[in-house]
Amino acid sequence: MIYILYNPLANNGRGEKAAEGTFENLSGEKIFMDIRQVGEYRQFFEGLDKQDEVVLCGGDGTLQCFINEIPKEALQFRLYYCPAGSGNDFANDVGMEKGGKPVLLNPYLEHLPVVEFNGMQRYFLNNFAMGIDGYVCEKADEYKKRHRKKVNYTGIALKGLAYDYKPCKVTVTLEDGVQEFEHVWMTPTMKGRYFGGGMKVAPMQERLDEENWLTLVVVHQKSRFRLLSVFPKIFKGEHVGYTDVVSFFKVKHAKVTFEHPVSVQIDGEVYRNVQEYEVFAEK
């Protein structure tokens, strides 16, 4: 049996329609389920037979919730993923083609990084980002509540860079010492290369690196004009050489502290009033 779990809220409410193509393209006996009706994941997986398979259809936020809610025993089943979100950074990172076959998730779930903030502990699959990227996701959520149109994430980011968002001082504690940065705009810690629906912010990051390294990116620049001139290069990963704007750190453990509380996003899910986070490549 193939269980297809879809998130109808993904892709601005178009998740079910996107998942229908997956249902039609898979051969074998299938059950099509709204992920909100699954209930307790431990009970769901305990009710499966060993030969059953699960296909998850949704966006990066759906994936983030899934990896934090399933029991460890779920990994004994073959778990697949089909992108049905608006950003699909994970799918982009692993080279999935639109309309292609679902990808096997199990290899990507073996060594997940953990982030701790505000008394919480969460796994993440793509990134944990603090700063203007959290601000963008926060504004996007507010927009979704007022409109049913597709969100222009790039437009929100450009507006924040040009006018609204205020950078601040940030302290980064690494295994080999402490560094301080002025005028910091964001500090994403990356498991994959992409965030924000296609921005190649960490082109050097290897998701299945055998040593399980993460990439911590610090974007810092006093001049908004200078930052705006470099920002478009992030989409193709061409910002790497602009050391006056961006710094990269290869880490397995790091702590990032902002001067004041800001919003953060973890694989697209927003959390507000966060001033510090600590990340571990594996815990």
Side-chain angles (χ1 to χ4, degrees):
M1 184 73 71
I2 302 174
Y3 290 83
I4 301 176
L5 310 182
Y6 69 91
N7 182 1
L9 303 179
N11 195 12
N12 298 305
R14 295 188 286 270
E16 182 175 2
K17 185 176 181 180
E20 288 174 354
T22 302
F23 183 83
E24 296 170 356
N25 293 331
L26 291 176
S27 58
E29 192 173 359
K30 302 178 287 289
I31 294 179
F32 200 53
M33 296 181 64
D34 183 331
I35 200 169
R36 298 172 299 179
Q37 299 173 353
V38 173
E40 171 61 46
Y41 274 107
R42 182 174 298 278
Q43 184 177 358
F44 170 77
F45 281 101
E46 286 176 351
L48 301 185
D49 294 326
K50 289 185 177 181
Q51 70 274 15
D52 290 339
E53 299 178 345
V54 176
V55 180
L56 181 69
C57 296
D60 293 311
T62 305
L63 270 171
Q64 201 274 139
C65 292
F66 185 73
I67 63 176
N68 279 282
E69 293 177 8
I70 61 173
K72 191 177 296 185
E73 293 76 17
L75 297 181
Q76 66 183 303
F77 299 95
R78 293 179 69 83
L79 308 176
Y80 293 88
Y81 174 66
C82 183
S86 54
N88 300 320
D89 286 318
F90 173 77
N92 194 18
D93 192 45
V94 301
M96 294 185 69
E97 297 181 1
K98 189 175 182 179
K101 294 182 178 180
V103 66
L104 183 66
L105 266 179
N106 298 64
Y108 301 104
L109 305 184
E110 291 181 0
H111 303 285
L112 289 175
V114 173
V115 63
E116 296 178 351
F117 64 99
N118 286 7
M120 301 174 60
Q121 180 174 285
R122 302 287 287 179
Y123 293 111
F124 62 94
L125 196 58
N126 294 319
N127 63 82
F128 180 90
M130 193 167 178
I132 193 170
D133 31 5
Y135 158 90
V136 170
C137 290
E138 179 183 358
K139 294 299 181 183
D141 280 358
E142 292 173 0
Y143 181 87
K144 290 175 185 177
K145 292 177 181 178
R146 299 193 306 266
H147 309 278
R148 294 188 62 86
K149 299 178 181 178
K150 187 175 181 180
V151 179
N152 184 350
Y153 288 90
T154 303
I156 297 173
L158 288 173
K159 183 180 178 182
L161 291 170
Y163 307 106
D164 292 345
Y165 190 78
K166 295 180 180 180
C168 68
K169 182 179 179 180
V170 168
T171 301
V172 177
T173 304
L174 304 170
E175 293 171 324
D176 58 353
V178 178
Q179 296 196 39
E180 293 186 345
F181 296 88
E182 300 284 348
H183 312 293
V184 174
W185 296 83
M186 61 180 176
T187 60
T189 299
M190 307 295 296
K191 177 65 173 178
R193 293 171 294 169
Y194 296 90
F195 82 160
M199 295 184 188
K200 199 173 184 179
V201 68
M204 72 291 291
Q205 174 65 20
E206 297 181 25
R207 180 179 289 276
L208 295 180
D209 171 39
E210 291 183 359
E211 296 186 20
N212 211 26
W213 290 100
L214 303 173
T215 300
L216 170 61
V217 186
V218 181
V219 178
H220 51 94
Q221 175 56 231
K222 183 177 181 179
S223 169
R224 289 181 185 266
F225 178 80
R226 174 62 173 163
L227 185 65
L228 283 166
S229 69
V230 175
F231 179 77
K233 299 182 183 298
I234 294 179
F235 287 91
K236 293 185 178 180
E238 297 173 346
H239 60 298
V240 175
Y242 295 85
T243 55
D244 63 316
V245 175
V246 61
S247 299
F248 298 91
F249 301 94
K250 195 175 180 180
V251 304
K252 289 191 176 180
H253 173 222
K255 180 187 289 186
V256 178
T257 305
F258 271 53
E259 190 175 18
H260 55 73
V262 297
S263 293
V264 303
Q265 64 88 11
I266 175 170
D267 294 341
E269 296 297 301
V270 181
Y271 297 85
R272 294 167 174 80
N273 297 316
V274 180
Q275 191 164 353
E276 179 180 278
Y277 76 85
E278 192 167 2
V279 66
F280 304 85
E282 189 174 12
K283 189 174 182 182

